[in-house]
Amino acid sequence: MNSIRKTFSILVTIIILVAFAFPPHARAQDESSPPSRKLYEAFIEGLKPEKMELILNHEPDGEGKVGHLYLDLIGCDIGGVRIDHLTVEAVDVEFTPPSTWNTEPPDVKNMLDIKAKAVILEEDVNKALLSEEFGDDDGHWHDLLLDFRDGGLYVRGYYLTKFLFRLDILIELEGRFEIRKGKELWLADYVMRVNKVDLPKSITDRAISQIQPVIDLNEFVFPLVLDKVEQKDDRVVLASRILPKPFEGIRYTYEKPKQLD
């Protein structure tokens, strides 16, 4: 179940928790650059997008405060998984002071409100699974697969046991995501099978209860509330009630250079 838990976690947690976080190894900034430019470069360094747009309503002040921020990322990398499209709009954001950004990457201290929308493709999740980004530490899990279906999802994996003899156990889980209280993502209407045999409901409930809620935003420091999760046959879309929108302001755009053959 550990690998299944990790698979679910990438659907929301890495988006929300890392959207405003920068890696500690981000390169030092040019001291002559304005604070907005340093933020722009830090987002590129930390999230490695294919395309990006950043809009600020004004330059960060001496305390690192920005009244309004919009970020639109295509093909960014979060936690080793490609996120097809991530859009974030935040109000009254307080970063660490710009005076520290020459040696340390910017970090978020607080914000009043945040709106977000993320699109995650099935093929990108499975690439991460195949690369063993989310395999368990003992290496017993293999051939992990996640399949987004219209209104639901399917997770499959083989667990290799080596007690007395080698035995591959096929574990399958079907269900759908459900938002509760605006801050909790639960797995609902689920069925679990072992070697194609349905497990009794009591055993399945006990196993699934260990990962419920899949995501709990009640403990999240930023005031993001999820309103919908839309599952299609090749992607999942996560969104707040009000969607992020761009506005007029200081604007930076980026496109990753194309590699020559």
Side-chain angles (χ1 to χ4, degrees):
M1 293 300 299
N2 185 46
S3 291
I4 293 175
R5 179 200 293 269
K6 290 179 180 178
T7 301
F8 290 150
S9 295
I10 61 179
L11 299 179
V12 179
T13 305
I14 57 176
I15 297 172
I16 300 168
L17 298 183
V18 188
F20 284 103
F22 303 94
H25 60 272
R27 59 173 172 260
Q29 303 286 346
D30 180 355
E31 293 188 18
S32 63
S33 298
S36 59
R37 179 79 188 185
K38 295 175 183 178
L39 271 182
Y40 160 77
E41 293 175 352
F43 275 118
I44 294 173
E45 178 77 6
L47 299 175
K48 301 176 177 61
E50 296 162 14
K51 292 183 179 180
M52 186 183 82
E53 179 181 31
L54 172 65
I55 303 175
L56 306 174
N57 69 328
H58 61 71
E59 286 285 343
D61 65 17
E63 296 179 342
K65 294 180 180 179
V66 175
H68 201 178
L69 178 150
Y70 174 83
L71 185 65
D72 190 354
L73 300 130
I74 302 292
C76 61
D77 185 307
I78 298 180
V81 178
R82 180 184 181 274
I83 306 301
D84 189 62
H85 196 176
L86 172 62
T87 311
V88 175
E89 181 184 3
V91 176
D92 288 346
V93 186
E94 182 180 358
F95 293 95
T96 48
S99 60
T100 67
W101 297 356
N102 293 320
T103 55
E104 296 290 335
D107 197 5
V108 173
K109 296 172 62 178
N110 196 12
M111 68 177 62
L112 179 62
D113 184 39
I114 179 172
K115 305 174 183 67
K117 180 179 179 181
V119 178
I120 308 173
L121 299 183
E122 175 186 292
E123 63 177 290
D124 291 324
V125 176
N126 281 296
K127 284 179 182 178
L129 292 173
L130 290 174
S131 68
E132 298 182 350
E133 286 284 343
F134 301 96
D136 59 334
D137 295 336
D138 59 15
H140 288 179
W141 286 97
H142 65 96
D143 292 336
L144 295 169
L145 171 72
L146 184 143
D147 181 10
F148 292 136
R149 298 175 177 180
D150 193 5
L153 78 161
Y154 169 79
V155 181
R156 181 203 72 199
Y158 288 88
Y159 191 83
L160 178 63
T161 64
K162 299 178 182 180
F163 181 70
L164 298 180
F165 54 90
R166 294 167 60 92
L167 177 64
D168 249 354
I169 300 174
L170 171 61
I171 298 178
E172 298 171 287
L173 176 64
E174 290 185 75
R176 64 178 178 84
F177 287 131
E178 176 180 273
I179 295 174
R180 299 186 183 180
K181 303 176 184 177
K183 290 184 175 290
E184 297 176 358
L185 188 67
W186 286 63
L187 189 65
D189 299 334
Y190 48 77
V191 176
M192 182 177 287
R193 304 183 187 91
V194 174
N195 289 337
K196 298 295 183 180
V197 177
D198 287 1
L199 289 179
K201 187 175 185 302
S202 60
I203 296 177
T204 301
D205 288 346
R206 193 182 315 143
I208 298 300
S209 69
Q210 302 301 310
I211 63 169
Q212 300 278 40
V214 176
I215 299 296
D216 186 355
L217 296 181
N218 288 296
E219 299 178 1
F220 185 52
V221 65
F222 298 144
L224 176 65
V225 176
L226 291 176
D227 182 67
K228 67 176 182 178
V229 51
E230 181 182 1
Q231 294 165 239
K232 300 183 179 181
D233 59 358
D234 67 340
R235 68 193 62 203
V236 62
V237 180
L238 303 165
S240 52
R241 182 179 62 85
I242 301 175
L243 297 180
K245 294 181 180 179
F247 55 87
E248 293 298 323
I250 302 170
R251 182 173 178 265
Y252 293 91
T253 60
Y254 167 82
E255 183 168 354
K256 182 179 180 179
K258 296 181 179 180
Q259 294 183 345
L260 299 177
D261 294 334

